[in-house]
């Protein structure tokens, strides 16, 4: 009974947080409500006996991804989302039915198919079993994932670098280059 | 032992996924659209874990791990792209960034 109560509490928090993420006009509040949703989801993961994933989820999402979001929002100094001009205002009339249809579709099959199946006590989500799987059968995907992260890091660095900065660091050789550096410094 | 039906988790996942879709469609701020994509990824993760528990199989958990890796990479690159676009156009509203070339 405790598990059922906890499920509904976490589900309510997650749903309310998700609604606020979509409804808030200030992106900073959206990010903070996203943290709330993610913490509630971590609670659901624990109820599903996925302890390792729950911990990693909190560390990766709340600790890294949302912080990155907040950094970018504050870097960009984004203003409040004002009322949308012209055609975009009617987007909600397309979005609401689509989301509703999607929900009914998925919810119907979930409700019809898995009514009797209960969450079972299993050791499959513990650190031990995941570690065994990750470092034996799935060691290649694991290594590929690390390469993917490296590539993403290099890509993010390259994209966020200003192109002209390289010129500024180099010692100017000709009059033309010196002029370019001076112009750059004036600009920034 | 917890005795919650699997279907409850799947329905919660459907709710979160639909809200993510709704956000992607109606919001104009590219950063908030990214947050809604994260919401959808998390809904899928919840489904993976529910079925991993139902089938008593570790592969669902490995998949969630991989989804998290991809989500982290996607956010890093995506936010860098948004910063680059903001430098060029001084906006992050998707309805003002509709040309592929300028």
């Amino acid at each position: 009974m405790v598990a059922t109560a906890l499920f509904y509490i976490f589900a309510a928090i997650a749903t309310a947080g998700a609604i606020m993420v979509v409804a808030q006009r200030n992106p900073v509040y959206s990010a903070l409500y996203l943290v709330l949703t993610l913490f509630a989801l971590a609670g659901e993961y624990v109820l599903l006996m996925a302890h390792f994933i729950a911990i990693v989820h909190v560390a990766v999402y709340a600790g890294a991804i949302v912080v990155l979001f907040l950094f970018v929002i504050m870097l960009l100094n984004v203003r409040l989302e004002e009322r949308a001009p012209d055609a975009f205002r009617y987007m909600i009339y397309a979005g609401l039915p689509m989301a509703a249809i999607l929900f009914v579709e998925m919810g119907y099959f979930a409700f019809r198919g898995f009514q009797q199946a209960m969450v079972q006590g299993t050791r499959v989500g513990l650190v031990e079993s995941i570690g065994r799987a990750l470092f034996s059968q799935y060691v290649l995907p694991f290594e590929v994932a690390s390469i993917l992260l490296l590539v993403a890091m290099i890509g993010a660095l390259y994209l966020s670098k200003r192109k002209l900065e390289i010129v500024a660091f180099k010692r100017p050789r000709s009059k033309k280059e010196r002029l370019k550096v001076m112009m750059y410094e004036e600009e920034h | 032992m917890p005795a919650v039906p699997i279907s409850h988790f799947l329905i919660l996942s459907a709710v979160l996924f639909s809200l993510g879709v709704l956000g992607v469609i109606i919001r104009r701020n590219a950063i908030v659209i990214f947050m809604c994509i994260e919401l959808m990824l998390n809904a899928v993760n919840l489904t993976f874990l529910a079925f991993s528990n139902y089938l008593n199989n570790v592969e669902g958990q490995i998949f969630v791990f991989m989804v998290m890796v991809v989500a982290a990479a996607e956010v890093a690159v995506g936010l860098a792209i948004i910063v680059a676009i903001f430098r060029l156009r001084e906006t992050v509203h998707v309805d003002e960034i509709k040309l592929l070339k300028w």
Side-chain angles (χ1 to χ4, degrees):
Chain A
M1 277 311 99
V2 180
T4 315
L6 278 176
F7 171 85
Y8 282 115
I9 290 168
F10 284 136
I13 294 173
T15 311
I19 290 171
M20 292 311 274
V21 169
V22 177
Q24 274 295 331
R25 290 175 65 201
N26 189 338
V28 177
Y29 291 162
S30 281
L32 294 178
Y33 278 113
L34 187 65
V35 176
L36 187 70
T37 307
L38 295 174
F39 268 107
L41 267 177
E44 302 284 5
Y45 294 170
V46 173
L47 288 180
L48 278 169
M49 311 298 282
H51 301 157
F52 173 73
I53 294 292
I55 293 167
V56 172
H57 180 264
V58 170
V60 170
Y61 276 98
I65 291 183
V66 178
V67 172
L68 202 61
F69 272 121
L70 286 172
F71 262 128
V72 170
I73 292 168
M74 286 166 187
L75 261 177
L76 298 190
N77 191 16
V78 183
R79 57 198 192 279
L80 278 188
E81 195 169 316
E82 64 263 16
R83 239 181 122 62
D86 53 48
F88 215 85
R89 195 175 302 165
Y90 303 108
M91 221 48 159
I92 192 159
Y93 300 115
L96 270 181
M98 185 171 165
I101 289 169
L102 204 62
F103 168 67
V104 169
E105 215 174 310
M106 289 190 290
Y108 172 69
F109 283 105
F111 192 72
R112 203 185 59 169
F114 300 94
Q115 193 83 98
Q116 263 76 51
M118 294 286 171
V119 171
Q120 49 183 338
T122 161
R123 302 183 59 80
V124 105
L126 300 187
V127 182
E128 189 197 346
S129 75
I130 292 178
R132 272 184 205 287
L134 211 52
F135 289 108
S136 59
Q137 200 182 347
Y138 297 101
V139 72
L140 183 65
F142 183 69
E143 296 297 333
V144 172
S146 69
I147 293 172
L148 175 73
L149 282 176
L150 180 69
V151 171
M153 196 169 75
I154 296 169
L157 274 176
Y158 176 75
L159 278 170
S160 52
K161 193 173 64 181
R162 283 169 203 254
K163 296 281 152 39
L164 266 171
E165 246 154 19
I166 305 165
V167 181
F169 284 134
K170 248 193 319 193
R171 184 193 294 266
R173 281 174 205 276
S174 64
K175 206 168 179 182
K176 206 173 143 197
E177 264 189 18
R178 202 170 300 139
L179 198 71
K180 218 169 163 186
V181 172
M182 273 166 63
M183 274 169 66
Y184 173 78
E185 279 169 354
E186 213 169 298
E187 253 179 63
H188 300 275
Chain B
M1 270 304 104
V4 186
I6 295 288
S7 63
H8 284 34
F9 287 95
L10 298 180
I11 288 169
L12 174 63
S13 156
V15 169
L16 292 179
F17 193 90
S18 309
L19 282 169
V21 169
L22 182 66
V24 168
I25 293 174
I26 69 172
R27 292 305 298 261
R28 297 164 64 217
N29 191 328
I31 299 172
V32 180
I33 288 179
F34 255 96
M35 289 180 207
C36 293
I37 292 174
E38 292 303 314
L39 217 53
M40 287 196 273
L41 285 172
N42 276 295
V44 173
N45 278 355
L46 186 62
T47 313
F48 267 128
L49 291 178
F51 280 122
S52 166
N53 185 287
Y54 173 64
L55 300 170
N56 202 2
N57 192 336
V58 78
E59 276 164 30
Q61 319 255 348
I62 306 287
F63 253 105
V64 172
F65 193 78
M66 296 300 160
V67 169
M68 276 182 186
V69 170
V70 172
E74 171 232 327
V75 163
V77 176
L79 287 177
I81 290 174
I82 290 176
V83 169
I85 287 177
F86 186 80
R87 279 195 188 135
L88 272 174
R89 303 291 310 257
E90 295 282 315
T91 181
V92 289
H93 288 173
V94 286
D95 55 335
E96 291 167 42
I97 315 165
K98 51 195 169 191
L99 299 177
L100 279 179
K101 192 177 163 189
W102 55 75

